[in-house]
Amino acid sequence: MNNLTINAEPYPLEFDPRKIALLIIDMQRDFVEPGGFGEMLGNDVSQLRSTIEPCSRVLAAARAANIPVIHTREGHRPDLADAPPTKLARGGLKVGIGDEGPMGRVLVRGAHGHDIIPELYPVDGEPVVDKPGKGAFYETDLDLILKNRGIETMVVCGVTTEVCVHTTVREANDRGYECVVLADCVGSYFPEFQRVALEMIKAQGGIFGWVSDADSAIDALSQIHKDAT
Ligand code: TIU
């Protein structure tokens, strides 16, 4: 099958439909529901909830196009051995990482709050990458998973735009992947950070990626014929 394009900024992104994946970053209760890590940090988590509907439409389009879908979750082992002491201490939180919160232990694997929200829950065959850091490549097998599937381009959704999405897209860019971040499918607790974070990605000719939106991505994905992947 011929290459396709996604309408994006700073210019349309051409991709090989056999080499594209959807990456959904940290759409966990801990970030998008009250009582989780995001709220413990002092944030209004309702700021992120507008991402859920467009994300779920892109997820459905990716599944229909039969392209790989990979989910990530930020969090730690129950013994916290993979959590840097500096991260545990950061912010001097009353209820912080590893402590018991309304949704179980905050940002700990296996806790209710750590899991992905039901609206975007992975199905069989969609890898879930558990990451101890903000970047999805740091101390994970994401790069191996992508290489094994021949992935070169990623459509990126998730939270938060200026933290885990930015860190991951920067890491991906340095490894030679091309990322297109969907503006309405990524969210920040801070409207100003959302705006500037997206500007930063696409500035300077797309210094570390592209920016598009759910409808444009769905348009492009809908052109992928199921049997071509
Ligand atoms: N606090 C914040 O904005 N984000 C995080 O701590 N993690 C992610 O972005 N997933």
Side-chain angles (χ1 to χ4, degrees), residues 25-26 28 31 37-38 41 43 74 131 134 159-165 189-190:
I25 297 176
D26 300 359
Q28 301 160 248
F31 295 106
F37 183 56
L41 292 169
N43 299 305
E74 181 180 349
K131 60 191 191 58
K134 304 305 182 193
V159 295
T160 63
T161 313
E162 78 280 14
V163 183
C164 291
V165 172
Y189 300 119
F190 306 91

Side-chain angles (χ1 to χ4, degrees), residues 177-191:
Y177 298 102
E178 295 192 307
C179 290
V180 55
V181 176
L182 306 184
D184 47 349
C185 297
V186 295
S188 170
Y189 300 119
F190 306 91

Side-chain angles (χ1 to χ4, degrees), residues 19-205:
K19 298 180 178 177
I20 191 166
L22 172 64
L23 182 66
I24 305 183
I25 297 176
D26 300 359
M27 289 299 284
Q28 301 160 248
R29 291 192 183 89
D30 257 321
F31 295 106
V32 305
E33 291 186 3
F37 183 56
E39 192 169 85
M40 300 308 169
L41 292 169
N43 299 305
D44 169 12
V45 298
S46 69
Q47 292 281 340
L48 303 187
R49 297 199 60 86
S50 65
T51 61
I52 297 171
E53 190 273 335
C55 266
S56 68
R57 287 192 291 114
V58 172
L59 177 58
R63 286 173 177 163
N66 207 21
I67 66 164
V69 175
I70 300 162
H71 306 257
T72 73
R73 300 184 297 197
E74 181 180 349
H76 297 281
R77 297 160 47 104
D79 62 9
L80 302 181
D82 59 351
T86 47
K87 184 176 182 182
L88 297 176
R90 190 74 50 82
L93 304 178
K94 218 159 72 185
V95 181
I97 297 169
D99 294 335
E100 200 63 43
M103 295 194 288
R105 291 181 68 200
V106 174
L107 229 55
V108 168
R109 294 175 193 159
H112 185 67
H114 171 264
D115 210 357
I116 293 169
I117 57 171
E119 295 92 328
L120 301 172
Y121 209 75
V123 297
D124 280 353
E126 295 178 353
V128 178
V129 173
D130 278 318
K131 60 191 191 58
K134 304 305 182 193
F137 288 86
Y138 176 68
E139 296 291 349
T140 72
D141 51 11
L142 177 59
D143 196 43
L144 183 59
I145 291 170
L146 295 170
K147 292 251 157 62
N148 285 342
R149 294 181 178 207
I151 299 304
E152 293 178 352
T153 307
M154 283 184 282
V155 175
V156 182
C157 300
V159 295
T160 63
T161 313
E162 78 280 14
V163 183
C164 291
V165 172
H166 245 232
T167 307
T168 298
V169 170
R170 289 166 190 251
E171 288 181 326
N173 179 64
D174 283 346
R175 286 165 175 78
Y177 298 102
E178 295 192 307
C179 290
V180 55
V181 176
L182 306 184
D184 47 349
C185 297
V186 295
S188 170
Y189 300 119
F190 306 91
E192 181 67 359
F193 291 177
Q194 170 79 359
R195 187 183 67 74
V196 174
L198 293 171
E199 287 291 325
M200 290 166 78
I201 293 167
K202 66 184 180 186
Q204 305 181 69

